[in-house]
Structure formats: C-alpha cells, structure tokens
Amino acid sequence: MAPVTLNVYDLTSQMNSWTYWCGVGVFHAGVEVYGIEYAYGGHDYDVSGIFATRPREAPGAAFRESIHMGETDLTAAQVQHLVQQMGHHYKGNKYHLLQLNCNHFASDMCLQLTAKPVPSWVSRLAGLAVMLHCFLPGSWVPPLQTPSAMPEVQSNVPVARGKRRAITRDASRQKLLDSPLSDEPPPLDMSASRV
C-alpha cells in the first residue's frame, strides 16, 4: 500500500489569501504517489499533457497544502500504466481552463487510486465560472465546449481496491464497470479511444 497525496498550489496567492476562506480560489493540483507528483497542463500538441515533477515543486505555482487522500494497492508500475492510459484523454491540446484542467485530472486520478475525488473547493471556482459563463466577459474565459464536442474515451485501467474499471466518459455520463485486477497491466487498446 502506498500513500496518495493531493498537493494544492495557489496560482494567485494574493487573491487566494482572502477567497480561500470563502471556499473558492484559483488553484493548481497534482497527485503524489511513490515519490512522484503527476499533474496536467496544456500545450499545442495532440499528445499527453500529463507531466511529472518532484512533490510540492509545481512550476509557476506557490505550494499551499498537502491533503492525504488515502492509500492505493497499485504498484509503481501499475500507477505508471494508469498515467499512460489517462494521457489518452488528458492531451495537451485538449486542456480547457474551465472544463478539462489540472484539477479535473487530479480528481480523476485520485478516484482511480483511492476511490475518492479531491475536495470540492479545489475546483469550485471553475465550476462556478462554467455556470456563470454567459455573464463573464469573453476575454476572461475560453469558449465552452458543447457536450457533443467533448471526446469520448474508453480504456481499461487498474484502480483502487483490487478492481479494474472500464471508464466510458462523455459530458453526460460516466460508466464504471468492475472486474478483478491482475498483477499485469492490461494491453493498450487504442481502438477504443476517440479524440
């Protein structure tokens, strides 16, 4: 069993110093497991946007706090395989400030490793902005993707508690199918991914 830690960072420490106590802020998050912190960011290429850093040293952000999320039964190799599989969905050119950002990745990874999502306050501001998008100036936020434009991804990845989940994701549903977990990672099935 390995501990899983959510590391939360301030992206705007001056604003976060007073909004944090209201339950919102502009945060970056990464997931630490086996001494490596995994996070997600955007770039112009159609390849994974997931990157690894030393724990509590995310580039361009000020460390705020660590939150123990639980333990994982996965080996270090299985975690690496999970990250590789998640990279098919979390591509750099699919990053969206409100709809597919580092906090969405961190929550998905924590769900896979511990069966628990990140605390809601970590991504609350993005959720509020999506709901209030029509009231915000266009220069503040990127255009939202419609549910039909969101990619559908299906992959088998090892997850917490001795189960393997097949994840089907689109904007309107997430389906989890459980099956026994073996020690060997499943073969990569690229035919099920669409982007």
Side-chain angles (χ1 to χ4, degrees):
M1 300 275 282
V4 176
T5 304
L6 177 73
N7 292 323
V8 181
Y9 302 82
D10 288 323
L11 291 177
T12 59
S13 56
Q14 187 175 10
M15 183 181 89
N16 283 356
S17 64
W18 54 272
T19 60
Y20 175 78
W21 303 109
C22 300
V24 295
V26 182
F27 302 110
H28 168 75
V31 179
E32 179 183 346
V33 62
Y34 289 108
I36 300 171
E37 183 171 323
Y38 299 96
Y40 171 62
H43 55 68
D44 294 333
Y45 305 102
D46 192 34
V47 295
S48 176
I50 300 171
F51 60 95
T53 62
R54 283 185 248 160
R56 297 169 299 287
E57 293 184 14
F63 177 74
R64 170 174 281 277
E65 67 181 283
S66 291
I67 302 168
H68 179 73
M69 297 299 296
E71 307 261 323
T72 184
D73 295 335
L74 299 183
T75 66
Q78 288 173 319
V79 169
Q80 288 288 331
H81 183 74
L82 171 64
V83 169
Q84 182 183 29
Q85 288 294 311
M86 292 179 77
H88 297 299
H89 177 65
Y90 288 96
K91 293 186 176 191
N93 63 350
K94 300 299 179 192
Y95 181 92
H96 190 280
L97 184 63
L98 303 178
Q99 293 178 298
L100 192 67
N101 62 38
C102 58
N103 299 323
H104 296 104
F105 165 77
S107 192
D108 282 353
M109 188 164 180
C110 284
L111 275 169
Q112 297 298 317
L113 295 173
T114 68
K116 292 192 300 192
V118 302
S120 59
W121 59 266
V122 173
S123 59
R124 185 171 288 141
L125 187 61
L128 289 171
V130 167
M131 288 189 305
L132 302 174
H133 190 268
C134 61
F135 299 112
L136 299 174
S139 62
W140 286 14
V141 293
L144 297 178
Q145 292 184 352
T146 61
S148 62
M150 295 295 285
E152 183 175 310
V153 175
Q154 182 168 0
S155 64
N156 289 324
V157 293
V159 294
R161 309 295 181 252
K163 299 285 184 178
R164 183 176 315 284
R165 291 183 184 168
I167 302 172
T168 301
R169 173 189 294 270
D170 68 22
S172 63
R173 71 184 195 285
Q174 180 172 353
K175 182 176 158 186
L176 301 175
L177 304 171
D178 291 336
S179 65
L181 176 65
S182 71
D183 288 337
E184 288 294 315
L188 294 177
D189 180 9
M190 304 302 266
S191 65
S193 285
R194 283 192 358 236
V195 187

